Amino acid sequence: MKRVALAFLAVGSSAIAAPPPPPLPNVAPVAQRYLRALKDRDIKTYGGLLADDFVGDDPEQSELRVRSSWLDETAREFQHPRYDVTPERVFYGSHDVNGRFTQQLVIVERVVNFSFGLVSSPDCCSWHRIETLTLEGEKIAKIERSPLYDTELSQTGFRTDIPESGQPHY
């Protein structure tokens, strides 16, 4: 009986350690075009990736944005000569949402010269934000942005901008 249990555990533990399946074939091209459009500030390519019924959710805005208003705001940002977005990490996942298979990309970005609610021109600062892109086929159906984060912590949780910070700084 013990041998059967041990054999079951050995087989079960190797199955748990198996990597997730690779992304579906349409994910990599969409991700690559999106990241390139961000980096190059290419509004035409960026807009071509958004679905007709696209919805954007940004905590800096009071309401959800439809495709046209999201593109207008993004175009204004892209036109600023010092605005820059650098994707630092890209994650892929998929899950069942209300009985429907959904593919998502999560992108961690460093944003420089970001304007707050488009009230002032972007002329300072560096931030991190996270964008979650929900894909439908080869189009982006939704982008959900996180709030902006400006203090970078090390992997141990301490600030990276204070030399010899053996203690947390709040």
Side-chain angles (χ1 to χ4, degrees):
M1 183 67 161
K2 285 184 182 182
R3 287 185 182 155
V4 172
L6 288 175
F8 179 73
L9 284 175
V11 171
S13 64
S14 65
I16 291 171
L24 293 176
N26 67 308
V27 173
V30 172
Q32 291 168 349
R33 287 194 311 267
Y34 183 80
L35 296 172
R36 177 58 51 201
L38 277 181
K39 192 68 186 150
D40 293 345
R41 296 182 286 165
D42 179 353
I43 196 66
K44 183 177 180 182
T45 299
Y46 185 97
L49 290 167
L50 303 183
D52 291 339
D53 59 348
F54 169 85
V55 176
D57 187 4
D58 187 337
E60 301 293 323
Q61 305 295 324
S62 60
E63 58 190 38
L64 293 177
R65 300 285 187 227
V66 296
R67 186 180 190 281
S68 61
S69 65
W70 186 271
L71 278 174
D72 288 347
E73 292 167 10
T74 302
R76 283 193 293 272
E77 294 288 348
F78 281 7
Q79 289 171 2
H80 192 283
R82 292 185 312 271
Y83 177 79
D84 183 59
V85 177
T86 302
E88 294 185 342
R89 299 276 191 275
V90 180
F91 301 91
Y92 166 77
S94 57
H95 59 282
D96 185 355
V97 176
N98 299 326
R100 196 171 135 204
F101 181 71
T102 301
Q103 301 178 83
Q104 291 185 317
L105 295 170
V106 174
I107 304 170
V108 179
E109 305 165 343
R110 177 179 293 276
V111 183
V112 178
N113 293 321
F114 182 86
S115 64
F116 297 98
L118 302 170
V119 174
S120 60
S121 65
D123 58 4
C124 80
C125 310
S126 175
W127 309 89
H128 277 89
R129 73 177 175 205
I130 298 169
E131 288 190 322
T132 302
L133 285 60
T134 301
L135 306 179
E136 287 185 5
E138 295 187 12
K139 295 289 185 176
I140 299 168
K142 185 174 187 179
I143 296 177
E144 298 169 88
R145 286 186 176 157
S146 71
L148 299 173
Y149 297 96
D150 62 350
T151 302
E152 187 170 347
L153 302 178
S154 70
Q155 291 183 4
T156 60
F158 298 110
R159 288 179 56 174
T160 60
D161 59 339
I162 299 175
E164 300 178 26
S165 66
Q167 301 297 320
H169 293 65
Y170 301 103

